[in-house]
Amino acid sequence: GETSDSFAIEESLKELAQLADTAGLMVVGSTYQKLASPNPRTYIGSGKVAEIKSAIRAFEVETVIFDDELSPGQLRNLEKAFGGDVRVCDRTALILDIFNQRAATHEAALQASLRLFVALAQMEYQLPRLTKMWTHLERQAGGKVKGMGEKQIEVDKRILRTQIGVLKKELESVRKHRKQYRNRRFSVPVPVVSLVGYTNAGKSTLLNQLTGANVLSEDRLFATLDPTTRRVQMKNGSEFLLTDTVGFIQKLPTTLVAAFRATLEEISESSLLVHVVDISHPLAEQQIEAVEKVLAELDVSEIPKLMVWNKVDKVTDPEKIKLEAERREDIVSISALTGEGLLEFCNAVQEKLKDSMVPVEAFVP
Ligand code: GDP
């Protein structure tokens, strides 16, 4: 195919490798194949299956991860083809794994809701696959136990649905609780600024830089209440709450987009969205698009936005980037690492907030 096409595939695989690394796996290699259409049985062609199989033996591979979502049948066939204890999974399953790990270590405030939505997404992912598994077992048994599988499917589905129902209720109560907390927060009329952006764009670095820098101060009491939100106070006395959100990635599975809404809900109550971009990344343009796509699904078009081109210290021609940012409206270029442009950033935030100030009365519950 075209070179740019291959480039996008390679970048996506690089991201998949990073995800695998985050999940604690050691990546020994990656490969891809271009087919007119995926093989319905094994997704990849038989030659590729053989090639991967020999790599599995050579490197004692335990897990094979596919960048696209595999059907339950393809998963099963690939596992059978690779043999032994090799685990085959797709991007969705890998992301769920990571969120599961994260949910176990994440800060108290987000812990409960994160864990719930991961469990929920996992169950919703399992539900359609359950039927396939039992149909398969039944066929294996040669029809001797006909009907038994069907009954089992119904039982399993009922159990899963009950669990999903319980989780949804719990999630709802966590949401209510957080909403009450937000309402209390709003009784003090401090505008909320949400950082959004692609994973690795530099959101948490920016949050830490701003609240650690001497121009600004951090309200420690507040930090202990909600570790992902900080009070940023400017020298001129004005202040705003800066809050970090979950990082976005490309090809977010649809089941997760729905689940993400729960944690991203707070975005819709912000006075300003700051979209942090890693401008040094070769696929910055695509990452911007991926974030904007998720934002579009969140229905936040009314909220003012400011774009931040981060990591200007890393680009080959920083002057060109800075000029381009200045030329365009609503963009500031910074380096969260070196601190360059942070004051300009804060001023831009202040300027934006001025336009969107909500009267104090509106915040009183
Ligand atoms: P997040 O996922 O958006 O929260 O991203 P992080 O804040 O964790 O940053 C991801 C990586 O980029 C880290 O290794 C940071 O040190 C690095 N980083 C963040 N900002 C900058 C920057 O302005 N310049 C450079 N060179 N690296 C940065």
Side-chain angles (χ1 to χ4, degrees), residues 1-10 32 34:
E2 318 224 318
T3 32
S4 63
D5 204 23
S6 304
F7 181 65
I9 294 172
E10 275 156 27
Y32 65 89
K34 284 180 183 173

Side-chain angles (χ1 to χ4, degrees), residues 161-278:
R161 285 217 184 89
T162 311
Q163 284 174 341
I164 288 173
V166 170
L167 280 176
K168 279 194 171 150
K169 262 202 201 111
E170 277 185 54
L171 199 53
E172 197 43 48
S173 85
V174 172
R175 274 182 181 179
K176 266 200 196 118
H177 180 83
R178 285 186 71 75
K179 204 169 167 72
Q180 274 170 6
Y181 163 63
R182 286 203 298 274
N183 284 343
R184 238 181 296 140
R185 197 162 77 187
F186 282 145
S187 63
V188 184
V190 180
V192 175
V193 177
S194 289
L195 294 177
V196 296
Y198 209 77
T199 297
N200 243 28
K203 296 183 298 299
S204 48
T205 308
L206 179 61
L207 187 77
N208 289 331
Q209 267 281 7
L210 281 177
T211 50
N214 29 15
V215 223
L216 315 149
S217 70
E218 171 191 349
D219 181 338
R220 285 187 190 282
L221 179 72
F222 205 90
T224 55
L225 282 176
D226 184 349
T228 56
T229 303
R230 309 281 172 84
R231 189 185 289 249
V232 178
Q233 200 161 26
M234 305 269 294
K235 264 188 178 153
N236 67 9
S238 62
E239 55 186 6
F240 56 88
L241 296 180
L242 192 63
T243 177
D244 198 0
T245 62
V246 202
F248 299 164
I249 46 168
Q250 263 181 74
K251 288 204 263 183
L252 191 69
T254 35
T255 44
L256 280 181
V257 171
F260 258 130
R261 277 171 174 275
T263 43
L264 292 181
E265 222 168 45
E266 277 162 83
I267 288 182
S268 64
E269 290 169 36
S270 326
S271 311
L272 175 68
L273 296 185
V274 172
H275 181 171
V276 183
V277 176
D278 174 358

Side-chain angles (χ1 to χ4, degrees), residues 12 22 30 59 76 95 98 100 103 118 123 133 154 164 189 210 234 260 273 292 301 303-304 308 315 323 327 329 338:
S12 185
T22 308
S30 74
F59 296 102
R76 208 170 45 237
I95 293 171
I98 294 170
N100 227 341
V118 168
M123 283 180 185
M133 190 183 85
E154 284 319 308
I164 288 173
L210 281 177
M234 305 269 294
F260 258 130
L273 296 185
E292 280 175 350
S301 52
I303 304 172
V308 166
V315 298
L323 279 175
R327 202 177 60 77
E329 229 177 290
T338 67

Side-chain angles (χ1 to χ4, degrees), residues 98-136:
I98 294 170
F99 282 132
N100 227 341
Q101 291 171 4
R102 283 286 155 88
T105 55
H106 208 274
E107 294 96 343
L110 281 176
Q111 203 174 39
S113 57
L114 255 184
R115 194 175 285 153
L116 287 174
F117 92 57
V118 168
L120 195 60
Q122 227 153 17
M123 283 180 185
E124 278 169 351
Y125 180 72
Q126 270 169 13
L127 207 56
R129 283 161 175 78
L130 206 61
T131 315
K132 298 258 167 60
M133 190 183 85
W134 275 107
T135 324
H136 171 71

